[in-house]
Amino acid sequence: MAAQPKHEYYETLGVPRKASADEVRKAYRKLARKHHPDLNPGDKSSEERFKNVQEAYDVLSDPKKRQMYDQYGFYSENGFAGAGGPGGASGPTPNMDFGGFDFSEFFQGAPGAQGGAGRRTETGGFRDIFSQFFGGRGAGEQAQAEKGGDLEYVMDIDFWQAIKGTQARVNITRYEVCGTCHGSGSSGAGEVTCPQCKGTGHVTQMAGAMKFNLTCPRCNGSGKLRNACPTCGGDGRITHTETVEIRIPPGARNGSRLRVPGKGNAGTMGAPPGDLYITTKVEEHPFFHREGDNIEIKVPVTVSEAGLGARIEVPTIDGRTQLKIPQGTKNGQRFRLREKGVLNTRTGQRGDQIVEVAIEAPDPRDERTRELLKELSKLQSEDPRAEIWTKV
């Protein structure tokens, strides 16, 4: 069933109407990573936004659909009767059958229109015009080879896998070339129900307030595919689940996108396959916090260590190291350990580790501790909040 778009596709992707195909693709990938449901669990607004972004890209990434949308603000949930698949590959577009529809009220006096009121107008010219936008092909024309669609998967990895890098496996479901017919869709004998129209011989299409009955482009209205391959139903491709080895490089971030060439859906009629894209979702660490290539950690110190100064052991992603705490260190003071952060594989340089100290007050459980604290308070008689009162 067709529908009018609920939102403006160019606005959804944040691109101008004259944006190139590459600009549309870059905008889509950026927004898809940002709003992917697996990266925003439980966030219904992100899930809805992701669906809108996907819908807009499905239309604007296809030159024929985009041309139709630019002309009429029109799109189809059938993908113009295309044969999609895992990851969203579009397929061939339908022949349009305008027989039985009277266009005289729209085309009286137009070039090529014949007859006046009460006479049926020839619709051949109108059919030809619409065929340009729908990309319809005649019964004698051959389908064109189309590159396979890309696949998008999200992979969960832990903090250390992201820092050190790892080899991981992911199970994917994709279209691959049918082994029976080798992608031709034909077996030379028998017939099967057309998978595009489900045996009805036609599909419907909406253009504004007008509803058109379209002859199914796959079976030409018969509802059956003769000499179709019984394995793939004439599509030339079958779904297949396989395990793919993924190399996660050191320093991978939450939302990093990895490309595996040729592991998307198979193309039609010998066209090349699409690619597989893996988006990483990194689990948080209980102590280390990553900010870009830097690692941040909060380390507790005692009052005496902060006041008198000390050398303390602090954890890093490489193991333990020594940190000098100077005399009179304040609570929340931050220290930098050079090149103790994450390796950036693009620059070949490492980030830093930022250590924030948290001074812990002693627990006066015994009388001796209380006496020492009382003596300390007498030695430090100044009000630590005095500066606040001067500025309030």
Side-chain angles (χ1 to χ4, degrees):
M1 186 66 189
Q4 291 296 323
K6 303 174 198 175
H7 44 87
E8 215 285 330
Y9 290 151
Y10 290 100
E11 291 182 3
T12 298
L13 295 183
V15 297
R17 299 187 74 87
K18 294 183 179 180
S20 65
D22 188 54
E23 289 173 329
V24 169
R25 182 169 57 255
K26 288 180 179 179
Y28 160 71
R29 289 178 175 174
K30 179 180 179 181
L31 293 172
R33 287 197 298 270
K34 179 180 179 181
H35 299 290
H36 199 289
D38 288 338
L39 297 178
N40 300 276
D43 190 340
K44 295 297 182 182
S45 62
S46 287
E47 182 178 348
E48 184 64 26
R49 175 70 173 167
F50 180 78
K51 291 178 181 178
N52 292 341
V53 168
Q54 184 68 54
E55 179 183 311
Y57 181 69
D58 285 344
V59 173
L60 298 186
S61 62
D62 186 298
K64 295 176 183 177
K65 296 179 186 180
R66 182 174 179 177
Q67 187 178 17
M68 186 65 192
Y69 177 73
D70 289 343
Q71 187 75 11
Y72 296 107
F74 162 93
Y75 80 106
S76 166
E77 293 176 2
N78 286 335
F80 294 96
S90 61
T93 52
N95 295 316
M96 298 196 63
D97 181 7
F98 294 99
F101 194 98
D102 188 356
F103 290 97
S104 58
E105 59 180 302
F106 299 100
F107 286 84
Q108 286 183 22
Q114 299 178 7
R119 289 188 60 184
R120 183 174 178 130
T121 304
E122 289 293 329
T123 59
F126 186 77
R127 184 187 299 111
D128 291 340
I129 293 172
F130 263 63
S131 293
Q132 295 175 18
F133 294 105
F134 282 92
R137 62 178 186 270
E141 295 181 41
Q142 296 294 320
Q144 295 182 352
E146 293 190 6
K147 183 180 183 293
D150 296 335
L151 297 181
E152 297 272 355
Y153 277 78
V154 173
M155 176 181 288
D156 293 318
I157 58 176
D158 63 34
F159 177 83
W160 293 111
Q161 287 176 321
I163 296 296
K164 304 294 185 180
T166 186
Q167 290 283 127
R169 293 182 177 182
V170 59
N171 292 325
I172 66 170
T173 299
R174 58 187 290 266
Y175 272 141
E176 69 173 11
V177 175
C178 175
T180 303
C181 65
H182 305 290
S184 69
S186 176
S187 66
E191 64 179 19
V192 296
T193 299
C194 176
Q196 187 159 316
C197 66
K198 311 302 181 185
T200 63
H202 66 272
V203 291
T204 57
Q205 197 73 277
M206 296 289 294
M210 296 185 294
K211 182 178 181 179
F212 301 108
N213 195 36
L214 312 181
T215 299
C216 177
R218 179 73 66 82
C219 64
N220 289 323
S222 68
K224 299 286 185 181
L225 293 177
R226 296 183 178 181
N227 300 324
C229 173
T231 302
C232 63
D235 185 58
R237 304 178 301 174
I238 57 173
T239 55
H240 171 70
T241 300
E242 65 178 281
T243 300
V244 179
E245 194 85 14
I246 306 295
R247 178 184 174 273
I248 307 296
R253 304 187 184 191
N254 190 50
S256 291
R257 200 161 183 259
L258 310 174
R259 174 175 170 261
V260 184
K263 283 299 181 179
N265 287 324
T268 61
M269 301 180 64
D275 299 326
L276 170 65
Y277 289 92
I278 300 293
T279 301
T280 56
K281 183 180 180 183
V282 183
E283 296 177 3
E284 292 287 341
H285 190 275
F287 300 111
F288 294 117
H289 176 69
R290 182 174 177 178
E291 283 292 337
D293 294 331
N294 290 340
I295 294 292
E296 298 182 354
I297 187 172
K298 185 177 289 188
V299 177
V301 297
T302 65
V303 171
S304 59
E305 288 173 332
L308 301 175
R311 279 190 171 273
I312 63 172
E313 269 192 345
V314 296
T316 72
I317 59 175
D318 299 318
R320 300 184 181 187
T321 193
Q322 293 284 319
L323 174 66
K324 181 181 179 180
I325 302 295
Q327 180 177 326
T329 293
K330 301 289 191 293
N331 186 56
Q333 193 166 337
R334 293 158 68 92
F335 300 92
R336 185 181 298 271
L337 296 173
R338 299 287 181 183
E339 297 185 356
K340 291 293 184 180
V342 183
L343 173 66
N344 187 315
T345 55
R346 293 183 179 179
T347 63
Q349 297 179 335
R350 294 187 61 168
D352 302 329
Q353 176 164 314
I354 310 300
V355 180
E356 179 181 333
V357 299
I359 300 176
E360 292 195 344
D363 184 6
R365 295 181 179 180
D366 56 82
E367 186 63 29
R368 176 59 178 160
T369 301
R370 284 192 289 271
E371 289 177 359
L372 290 173
L373 290 175
K374 288 178 181 178
E375 290 181 19
L376 181 63
S377 66
K378 291 178 181 178
L379 292 173
Q380 294 182 331
S381 57
E382 67 273 9
D383 184 358
R385 294 169 291 279
E387 187 177 355
I388 296 178
W389 300 119
T390 63
K391 297 181 180 179
V392 173

